[in-house]
Amino acid sequence: MKSMSSQIERRFEISSSIVGIIDGSFEIGNLMVMVLVSYLGPRVHRPKIIAVGCLIMAVGAFLSVMPQFLMGRYNYERITVSVDNSSASVSACSPGAEGPPATDATETLSTVINAGCEKTTHSYLWLFVLVGNLLRGIGEAPIMPLGVSYIDDFSKEENSAFYIGLVRSSGMFGPTLGFLLGSFCASLWVDVGVVDIDAISINPKDTRWVGAWWLGLLICGAVNFIASLPFWFLPYSLPKEGENGNLKIGHLSVQGDPCKIDPPAQPQLKFSEAVKDFLPALRKLFGNPVFVVFIFLTILQYNSLVGIITYETKFMEQQFNVSVAKAIFLIGVILLPVTILGMFLGGFLIKRFKLHVTEMAKFACITFIVAYLLNLLYFTCGCEVLQVAGLTAPYSGMKHLSSSKHIYMASCNAECSCKVDQWDPVCGDNGITYMTACFAGCKSSSGTGRNMVFHNCSCVEGQGLGLGNSSAVLGQCQRESCTKAFPYFLALQTACAFILALGGTPTYMIMFRSVSPDLKSFAVGIETLGGRVLGGLPAPIYFGALIDETCLKWGTKSCGGSGSCRVYDTKEFRNVYLGLIAGLRAGCCLLYIVLSALIMKRFKPDGKEMTESKIAERSTSKEPDTANKREILPGSRTSEESEETYM
């Protein structure tokens, strides 16, 4: 879904901020059910709730693709050209004509467009994608809180971090496959199988290109449905790892015959009791200063991470002149596998060296600060702004017309009656891009489709190339220096991703070690909710709105009105995008330092905390479990100790 954001923006001709709202609807869905699901987690059949969530996600994915079958074919923005009766040549510049006569093909296109204008409801079909994404958010809500707490409840404490790190890192294969699928779909035309691809005059690098955004969602919907099936067969509870004689139900332990274990009965959930305990549990969590700082840290991290994932492909496309399909592919095959490796290695290091919570905090803090310093080097990977005549570059040697109505016009194309709201770029021999062949003043052409070449372009001639010895080809001019800088940017980003992921699992485990065992599931839910509502929801919207401010040329919808952006000021785009990320991560650095200080103060004041935990562990392993005894985590306090601390 993240990899298809640019395709959705162009298909529905909407701004980046609207795409941000669609993207944020996923977090709204999470908000609606996250707290309830995570709080009731230990009291319900967790695997079955996860299965229901998977089914809801499948329904949401299928709903999102409905507009593709309701909107009809995609007609990209292009200029009309007149045909010379004496030859097959076409002219983009028609002096003295307000609107050049169209060929049969463009007349048919105009008829289709006019017919589409009568059905104004097509402009709002992106709401299907928004509602589908909302349902996906609702369905996804129970998966991590209930799944992670289910694993942690029935595994040994020394193995818990490794298992959770394994699940979180292996879970990254989903986004990896998603980005690879997104790359493949982005390289296919949106109406694949319906139109003749050879008749399309644009390529995947063009900002009007729309890939088959709907195809990946169909596949993902089917996968969500299949993924729900195994969860229906998992039991309510499992034997505690390494304790064959004990079965754990919620946070209670029951002594049983080691040779014969009867399956436990699921406890009856009383709604009145659940509501009664909710506020005290919430107060206990937010009375924990370590947890509060951790929540603020999570919110800032979510803001930067979601902003990157949502707009990284657009940034690569505009900054380094690579196609969206290639950008998505590189994220899928390089960045995400490196992130997976970092997360897995982080969990392995905790298990291998049996890191205490204070050591986890130091490790996470150091890795993040190192990654942040590398992050600042992004600003050195610069690229020049695309040279567009009349927009970012002057018509050299030509006098500009002063009328505000024709700000893109010059004396070389003043007689061509060009429409300023069109975007069908051509690249002149002089290395300058023109908004259309008409603005280049082209009088003739050769070839058809994407191989068409325009000749006798008066504005290109004005650059000193000589009369009649100038031409232009379809598409924007390539920026060679940008393409050369791209490998360095990718290497830097790979290093940052690995270092950040390395400290990700230790950071996540800090939360488990700083709350009482009976509140783990609730804490995961609050952390996920806070991150997604205050990070995942607003980040795509304000990132998109600020990126929109750097747009130099907006597209035009077939029925009039502003469409998606065609050209950005790459320098401003870079400063806004990278500046936001750097600012958010600077706040994270400060919070990491505060978090480390709090953990050092709370969990290891004089070395007593660790000693007391080990003594408690030994006594627990020797004595039989009783109903009133609670599990004690390494580096964590019992509820009585915690209450004394907060008092």
Side-chain angles (χ1 to χ4, degrees), residues 493-564:
Q493 197 172 43
T494 302
C496 282
F498 176 76
I499 296 171
L500 283 173
L502 194 63
T505 302
T507 302
Y508 198 68
M509 292 309 300
I510 288 172
M511 177 180 63
F512 283 97
R513 298 296 176 256
S514 62
V515 299
S516 57
D518 58 318
L519 294 177
K520 283 185 292 187
S521 178
F522 193 28
V524 174
I526 293 294
E527 178 261 346
T528 307
L529 176 70
R532 287 187 165 168
V533 173
L534 298 177
L537 176 58
I541 299 173
Y542 70 75
F543 263 83
L546 290 172
I547 288 172
D548 281 341
E549 292 298 315
T550 67
C551 184
L552 296 174
K553 173 66 177 174
W554 291 94
T556 306
K557 294 181 182 179
S558 56
C559 301
S562 179
S564 58

Side-chain angles (χ1 to χ4, degrees), residues 107-438:
E107 281 177 0
T108 304
L109 177 62
S110 299
T111 304
V112 172
I113 290 175
N114 290 333
C117 288
E118 295 173 5
K119 301 176 181 178
T120 55
T121 53
H122 282 190
S123 304
Y124 300 99
L125 285 178
W126 56 267
L127 290 171
F128 276 87
V129 186
L130 187 145
V131 175
N133 216 26
L134 183 79
L135 286 176
R136 288 179 55 252
I138 293 173
E140 196 269 350
I143 294 174
M144 280 304 288
L146 302 191
V148 169
S149 64
Y150 190 78
I151 291 170
D152 193 61
D153 280 348
F154 304 120
S155 61
K156 285 184 179 179
E157 284 172 5
E158 60 266 28
N159 293 336
S160 177
F162 178 70
Y163 290 154
I164 291 173
L166 188 64
V167 168
R168 285 168 62 83
S169 58
S170 63
M172 292 295 289
F173 282 106
T176 301
L177 294 174
F179 272 103
L180 293 177
L181 179 61
S183 175
F184 172 72
C185 292
S187 64
L188 300 176
W189 184 243
V190 61
D191 297 314
V192 60
V194 180
V195 299
D196 181 12
I197 303 299
D198 295 331
I200 298 170
S201 61
I202 58 176
N203 58 45
K205 281 191 175 183
D206 197 290
T207 54
R208 294 163 295 167
W209 177 274
V210 175
W213 62 274
W214 53 274
L215 183 60
L217 285 174
L218 272 182
I219 295 171
C220 290
V223 171
N224 283 146
F225 174 77
I226 295 170
S228 71
L229 300 179
F231 288 101
W232 295 106
F233 302 100
L234 285 174
Y236 172 80
S237 62
L238 295 169
K240 179 75 173 179
E241 188 180 36
E243 298 178 11
N244 294 329
N246 297 330
L247 276 178
K248 188 170 179 181
I249 308 172
H251 59 269
L252 302 178
S253 297
V254 180
Q255 183 72 25
D257 185 353
C259 299
K260 186 178 180 181
I261 301 173
D262 296 326
Q266 181 174 340
Q268 295 296 316
L269 174 63
K270 292 184 179 180
F271 185 75
S272 58
E273 292 181 7
V275 172
K276 181 182 177 182
D277 295 337
F278 178 80
L279 287 178
L282 193 65
R283 193 180 303 114
K284 188 175 179 181
L285 273 181
F286 282 95
N288 183 340
V290 173
F291 183 74
V292 171
V293 174
F294 180 83
I295 289 296
F296 282 115
L297 175 63
T298 299
I299 291 169
L300 287 184
Q301 284 186 318
Y302 259 87
N303 273 271
S304 62
L305 181 63
V306 171
I308 290 171
I309 294 175
T310 307
Y311 296 107
E312 186 69 10
T313 53
K314 181 189 283 288
F315 177 75
M316 288 182 178
E317 178 193 32
Q318 294 292 329
Q319 194 71 34
F320 300 106
N321 202 35
V322 299
S323 67
V324 173
K326 183 180 178 181
I328 296 169
F329 178 78
L330 290 172
I331 291 174
V333 299
I334 297 177
L335 294 182
L336 284 182
V338 164
T339 303
I340 293 169
L341 178 63
M343 293 176 71
F344 176 80
L345 189 58
F348 175 76
L349 290 174
I350 294 175
K351 176 178 170 64
R352 175 69 179 81
F353 297 104
K354 298 181 179 179
L355 298 182
H356 184 258
V357 65
T358 54
E359 295 164 329
M360 290 184 203
K362 291 177 186 176
F363 182 74
C365 183
I366 292 170
T367 53
F368 192 89
I369 291 174
V370 171
Y372 177 71
L373 294 176
L374 284 176
N375 183 81
L376 296 178
L377 296 178
Y378 284 164
F379 288 95
T380 62
C381 300
C383 188
E384 75 271 15
V385 178
L386 178 67
Q387 298 295 295
V388 183
L391 196 62
T392 60
Y395 289 88
S396 298
M398 293 293 174
K399 182 181 178 182
H400 281 270
L401 301 182
S402 59
S403 171
S404 59
K405 184 179 178 182
H406 303 101
I407 55 173
Y408 307 122
M409 303 295 289
S411 56
C412 62
N413 57 24
E415 297 180 353
C416 293
S417 303
C418 304
K419 295 182 179 179
V420 296
D421 60 349
Q422 289 182 328
W423 178 260
D424 192 4
V426 294
C427 178
D429 288 339
N430 53 7
I432 292 181
T433 301
Y434 297 85
M435 291 187 289
T436 65
C438 180

Side-chain angles (χ1 to χ4, degrees), residues 11 13 73-78 109 112-113 191 558:
R11 181 64 181 98
E13 291 289 355
R73 297 182 187 179
Y74 170 61
N75 294 303
Y76 57 91
E77 183 183 354
R78 51 186 169 176
L109 177 62
V112 172
I113 290 175
D191 297 314
S558 56

Side-chain angles (χ1 to χ4, degrees), residues 565-629:
C565 187
R566 303 304 188 203
V567 179
Y568 291 91
D569 182 332
T570 50
K571 184 178 179 181
E572 288 298 316
F573 191 158
R574 181 175 69 250
N575 291 338
V576 166
Y577 178 72
L578 296 180
L580 275 174
I581 294 169
L584 290 168
R585 287 183 171 173
C588 289
C589 285
L590 293 175
L591 288 176
Y592 261 113
I593 294 171
V594 172
L595 184 66
S596 299
L598 285 174
I599 289 174
M600 292 289 290
K601 182 179 179 181
R602 173 179 168 185
F603 289 101
K604 201 177 179 183
D606 295 307
K608 294 179 180 178
E609 183 73 27
M610 205 182 293
T611 307
E612 289 172 3
S613 296
K614 287 179 179 177
I615 293 170
E617 278 186 86
R618 282 202 217 70
S619 61
T620 304
S621 61
K622 290 178 182 179
E623 297 176 13
D625 292 336
T626 57
N628 59 355
K629 230 174 216 183

